[in-house]
């Protein structure tokens, strides 16, 4: 027999003290309601209905609202409170044989025979109906999230489940009590996560990486053998063998190749830094392409914005950019070219060239004696 579920979304949300529906609050990166839907699908549920869409967002538009016309016959139906995110798919599967407080499994035909006006179903109604058909309590309890405190407790419990699973799969987590990882994150074996790390969204981390404390990764794709120290990475890709930090910010649209070095207080944005390139200190690389094995000296900047539009900087392979260089985009710097320290470069630089763009030094002796 097919399985289906009715999620009771017309519940009391006042205790959360929020303009956001209780079920839309996030638990380890995913809304409470989406957690329930995900686990129901894993348990083999084919059809999911909501009792109301009031207060929900467009994410759930594809799920029909239960109405008088809904056909529930000839299917096993589970009713679940939309504030109970800590029921996992194995537990749902067991519910098709037993019932419990606020969660009941009944035959679809019994539901229709017992309650014709299914569009007005409420939690109390389901509770009373379950008693009428002799529902039996299951052998596990249900955690209902109605308040901020309960949300925090649920987050703690669910975080434990996430971290345990990662550790079971070969990830070292130095101090689980001080580590935050979303349910949507994937991490390869032999990677070490240090205390204070925050890893969120659709982040994927490869094997044998080291994520040091106070690093923050959101929707990042990180290869193998990568070291990240006290840095922020958002919506970006990091190649194998690359090191980042300490105190670097990798902003959206960045792609770092293999064995790249991004050092302390370096910021990148919407840039491609190719294999073996180094940006070691105190630099900004935005809207740029940086070639293989290029070295960018301390304090260098791709000047990408003129106040109205943004422009691109292209630095070819094996270039050497001296300290405190301003590269005024749009500009292209050729292969094996050298930019002298302290230069403000406004014109393209051919390959195998030395570019010097700075004032000749003037020294006035005995200046303070005048």
């Amino acid at each position: 027999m097919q399985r289906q579920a009715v999620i009771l979304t017309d519940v009391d949300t006042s205790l959360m003290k929020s303009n956001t529906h209780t079920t839309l609050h996030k638990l380890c990166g995913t809304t409470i309601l989406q957690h329930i839907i995900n686990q129901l699908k894993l348990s083999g549920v084919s059809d999911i209905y909501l009792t109301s869409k009031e207060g929900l967002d467009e994410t759930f538009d594809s799920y029909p609202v239960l109405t008088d016309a809904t056909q529930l016959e000839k299917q096993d139906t589970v009713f679940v409170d939309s504030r109970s995110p800590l029921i996992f798919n194995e537990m749902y599967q067991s519910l098709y044989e037993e019932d419990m407080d606020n969660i009941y499994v009944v035959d679809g035909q019994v539901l229709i025979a017992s309650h014709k006006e299914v569009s007005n179903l409420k939690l109390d109604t389901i509770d009373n109906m379950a008693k009428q058909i002799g529902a039996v309590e299951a052998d596990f309890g249900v955690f209902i999230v109605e308040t901020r405190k309960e949300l925090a407790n649920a987050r703690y419990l669910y975080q434990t489940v996430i971290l345990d699973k990662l550790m079971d799969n070969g990830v070292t987590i130095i101090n689980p009590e001080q580590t935050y990882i979303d349910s949507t994150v994937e991490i390869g074996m032999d990677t070490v996560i240090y205390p204070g790390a925050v890893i969120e969204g659709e982040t994927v981390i490869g094997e044998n990486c080291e994520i040091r404390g106070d690093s923050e990764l959101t929707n990042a794709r990180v290869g193998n053998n990568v070291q990240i120290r006290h840095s922020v990475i958002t919506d970006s890709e990091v190649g194998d063998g690359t090191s980042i930090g300490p105190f670097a910010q990798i902003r959206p649209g960045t792609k770092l190749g293999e064995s790249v070095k991004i050092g302390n207080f370096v910021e990148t944005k919407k840039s491609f830094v190719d294999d073996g390139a180094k940006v070691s200190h105190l630099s900004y690389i935005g809207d740029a392409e940086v070639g293989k094995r290029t070295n960018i000296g301390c304090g260098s900047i791709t000047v990408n914005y003129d106040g109205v539009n943004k422009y691109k900087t292209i630095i070819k392979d094996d270039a050497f950019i001296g300290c405190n260089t301003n590269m005024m985009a749009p500009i292209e710097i050729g292969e094996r070219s050298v930019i002298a320290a302290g230069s403000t470069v406004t014109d393209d630089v051919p390959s195998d060239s030395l570019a010097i763009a700075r004032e000749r030094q003037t020294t006035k002796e005995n200046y303070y004696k005048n």
Side-chain angles (χ1 to χ4, degrees):
M1 184 175 288
Q2 287 185 311
R3 296 175 177 178
Q4 63 185 7
V6 176
I7 302 177
L8 306 171
T9 50
D10 53 347
V11 293
D12 182 9
T13 63
S14 62
L15 294 178
M16 189 62 75
K17 299 294 191 295
S18 175
N19 292 323
T20 300
H21 195 288
T22 300
T23 63
L24 298 187
H25 283 265
K26 287 196 173 182
L27 177 65
C28 297
T30 303
T31 63
I32 291 172
L33 182 53
Q34 191 62 55
H35 271 298
I36 294 169
I37 290 172
N38 291 346
Q39 294 301 318
L40 284 169
K41 287 181 177 179
L42 287 173
S43 72
V45 170
S46 56
D47 299 304
I48 297 175
Y49 299 90
L50 309 178
T51 54
S52 171
K53 290 188 180 179
E54 184 176 355
L56 304 183
D57 60 27
E58 63 277 1
T59 305
F60 305 100
D61 284 349
S62 60
Y63 298 98
V65 174
L66 197 67
T67 67
D68 289 339
T70 302
Q71 298 297 314
L72 300 180
E73 294 91 340
K74 299 182 180 179
Q75 294 194 54
D76 285 335
T77 306
V78 59
F79 289 84
V80 55
D81 190 322
S82 60
R83 301 163 298 180
S84 55
L86 298 181
I87 306 176
F88 299 97
N89 74 86
E90 300 87 352
M91 301 161 76
Y92 278 121
Q93 291 183 45
S94 73
L95 287 177
Y96 287 96
E97 297 178 359
E98 56 187 351
D99 313 274
M100 56 175 300
D101 300 332
N102 299 336
I103 296 179
Y104 304 101
V105 179
V106 297
D107 182 271
Q109 292 176 317
V110 174
L111 172 66
I112 295 298
S114 302
H115 200 290
K116 297 295 185 180
E117 298 179 1
V118 291
S119 61
N120 295 319
L121 282 175
K122 303 290 184 182
L123 194 57
D124 290 342
T125 305
I126 301 300
D127 184 59
N128 291 332
M129 184 182 69
K131 291 176 182 177
Q132 291 172 12
I133 65 173
V136 180
E137 289 190 5
D139 57 0
F140 57 86
V142 176
F143 191 103
I144 300 295
V145 176
E146 294 184 280
T147 67
R148 304 276 182 169
K149 188 180 296 185
E150 289 168 345
L151 180 61
N153 291 336
R155 185 179 291 114
Y156 175 82
L157 293 170
Y158 198 67
Q159 185 69 171
T160 300
V161 172
I162 294 168
L163 298 183
D164 284 352
K165 182 178 179 181
L166 288 171
M167 290 187 282
D168 288 344
N169 289 328
V171 178
T172 296
I173 299 176
I174 301 296
N175 187 344
E177 295 286 337
Q178 297 181 22
T179 304
Y180 179 87
I181 301 177
D182 275 350
S183 61
T184 48
V185 170
E186 299 178 21
I187 303 178
M189 67 180 183
D190 293 322
T191 286
V192 180
I193 311 295
Y194 281 79
V198 177
I199 307 175
E200 301 176 309
E202 303 298 327
T203 295
V204 177
I205 300 173
E207 298 182 357
N208 201 39
C209 295
E210 187 176 87
I211 313 300
R212 286 279 177 171
D214 301 318
S215 292
E216 182 179 313
L217 283 67
T218 305
N219 300 326
R221 301 193 69 85
V222 178
N224 301 319
N225 305 298
V226 171
Q227 184 181 69
I228 299 170
R229 294 183 294 162
H230 319 299
S231 296
V232 176
I233 303 175
T234 308
D235 296 310
S236 296
E237 298 181 29
V238 180
D240 294 348
T242 287
S243 66
I244 298 173
F247 312 116
Q249 182 176 14
I250 310 302
R251 291 171 55 194
T254 295
K255 183 177 181 180
L256 306 179
E258 297 182 3
S259 301
V260 168
K261 180 180 180 182
I262 302 294
N264 52 294
F265 301 104
V266 170
E267 179 181 347
T268 67
K269 187 271 294 182
K270 200 176 179 180
S271 294
F272 172 53
V273 182
D274 211 339
D275 299 349
K278 297 179 180 179
V279 190
S280 297
H281 335 270
L282 299 161
S283 296
Y284 172 71
I285 305 299
D287 298 285
E289 292 182 10
V290 178
K292 292 181 174 65
R293 300 172 297 279
T294 286
N295 186 88
I296 296 181
C298 176
S300 296
I301 297 172
T302 58
V303 185
N304 58 338
Y305 185 50
D306 65 1
V308 179
N309 299 304
K310 293 189 176 180
Y311 300 96
K312 192 169 187 177
T313 296
I314 298 175
I315 306 172
K316 296 295 187 66
D317 296 349
D318 300 299
F320 186 94
I321 310 299
C323 295
N324 292 317
T325 293
N326 296 314
M327 291 162 277
M328 309 295 290
I331 193 170
E332 181 173 309
I333 297 169
E335 296 176 355
R336 299 173 298 280
S337 287
V338 176
I339 308 298
S343 294
T344 296
V345 183
T346 58
D347 298 322
D348 291 349
V349 179
S351 297
D352 302 302
S353 300
L354 168 64
I356 305 172
R358 60 192 182 201
E359 287 284 338
R360 182 181 297 275
Q361 180 175 326
T362 301
T363 302
K364 296 184 178 181
E365 297 184 6
N366 301 315
Y367 177 79
Y368 282 104
K369 294 183 179 180
N370 295 334

